[in-house]
Amino acid sequence: AQSVTQPDIHITVSEGASLELRCNYSYGATPYLFWYVQSPGQGLQLLLKYFSGDTLVQGIKGFEAEFKRSQSSFNLRKPSVHWSDAAEYFCAVGARNAGNNRKLIWGLGTSLAVNP
Amino acid sequence: DVKVTQSSRYLVKRTGEKVFLECVQDMDHENMFWYRQDPGLGLRLIYFSYDVKMKEKGDIPEGYSVSREKKERFSLILESASTNQTSMYLCASPGGQGAEYEQYFGPGTRLTVT
């Protein structure tokens, strides 16, 4: 069955430090992969996505992610974190159900805190 | 981008009440989803709909029902609210052609059942 694992429940980094949030997926075919961010009190916003092609994808707010098929990973990175990046981050993989309809399988999220 | 709106940001209801959560999307898309979000449990799919009057159970449908009478509106119904349904409820609708997996979210409804 398809699944998404975010190994880190909570991460704290200092402002200006680099960031990497891990995501591992289990999916038989070529995956459609996503990262979403949820800032405090806000809805979920799409950060970036991978469908095919270049395995390093750029997103909004200075984030990037790299798809590594051999490791079944899609880790999110940012070279220098800002205090406003403190939020909950969710990784997701696109999947089809028994009726061939599209939906997303979600990781449980990683909560990011940023120290000044 | 798809715009998704939800009828209330905050809602307080009493145990046993019938509760309606409304969601509207503005892009005439077929697909709409209802999730609940709880700390440590991520997003859990309650119901989804791929067309008018069509619905399909998600991972946690118990205690909920849905209604999709018009393409733009997808309602989540708690027939008899219970305290364990206190949660954040998120509605989502995917993008258009070529973006069918991308989901756009409403701001959420934080429901408290007392």
Side-chain angles (χ1 to χ4, degrees), chain B residues 27-94:
Chain B
M27 292 297 290
D28 198 38
H29 291 151
E30 282 80 19
N31 303 349
M32 297 185 76
F33 297 77
W34 274 108
Y35 296 92
R36 66 177 281 177
Q37 182 182 16
D38 300 286
L41 298 178
L43 277 73
R44 293 181 291 168
L45 182 62
I46 305 172
Y47 266 97
F48 51 102
S49 171
Y50 288 97
D51 204 348
V52 174
K53 297 190 185 294
M54 195 291 270
K55 60 187 178 184
E56 193 164 336
K57 293 179 179 179
D59 301 317
I60 53 162
E62 296 78 17
Y64 304 94
S65 63
V66 290
S67 173
R68 184 101 182 265
E69 296 295 320
K70 294 184 178 181
K71 183 178 281 189
E72 68 270 17
R73 188 179 299 271
F74 190 34
S75 302
L76 180 69
I77 303 161
L78 287 66
E79 295 290 342
S80 178
S82 64
T83 54
N84 63 13
Q85 293 178 309
T86 292
S87 185
M88 171 69 86
Y89 289 89
L90 298 170
C91 177
S93 184

Side-chain angles (χ1 to χ4, degrees), chain A residues 27 32 34 36 38 41-44 46 49 51 88 90 94-97 99 101-104 106-109, chain B residues 9 31 33 35 37 40-43 45 48 50 54 56 59 88 90 98-107:
Chain A
Y27 190 68
Y32 291 75
F34 304 85
Y36 283 80
Q38 186 179 34
Q42 304 294 317
L44 274 80
L46 180 64
K49 60 191 177 188
F51 286 173
E88 189 90 16
F90 293 93
R96 291 182 183 263
N97 66 358
N101 294 306
R102 295 176 180 88
K103 63 176 186 176
L104 292 178
W106 295 87
L108 294 184
Chain B
R9 291 298 302 272
N31 303 349
F33 297 77
Y35 296 92
Q37 182 182 16
L41 298 178
L43 277 73
L45 182 62
F48 51 102
Y50 288 97
M54 195 291 270
E56 193 164 336
D59 301 317
M88 171 69 86
L90 298 170
E100 292 88 349
Y101 282 110
E102 297 178 40
Q103 294 190 8
Y104 293 88
F105 285 82

Side-chain angles (χ1 to χ4, degrees), chain A residues 11-79:
Chain A
I11 286 181
T12 300
V13 299
S14 297
E15 192 168 16
S18 63
L19 172 70
E20 182 171 35
L21 301 182
R22 295 183 292 163
C23 173
N24 294 99
Y25 67 89
S26 172
Y27 190 68
T30 299
Y32 291 75
L33 294 161
F34 304 85
W35 275 100
Y36 283 80
V37 60
Q38 186 179 34
S39 299
Q42 304 294 317
L44 274 80
Q45 181 181 20
L46 180 64
L47 268 180
L48 48 75
K49 60 191 177 188
Y50 170 80
F51 286 173
S52 64
D54 193 346
T55 56
L56 185 64
V57 294
Q58 303 297 320
I60 62 172
K61 303 177 188 256
F63 285 91
E64 66 179 26
E66 186 171 13
F67 169 60
K68 292 186 177 180
R69 184 186 298 276
S70 61
Q71 298 177 19
S72 297
S73 69
F74 188 56
N75 294 348
L76 183 70
R77 301 194 295 245
K78 187 170 185 178

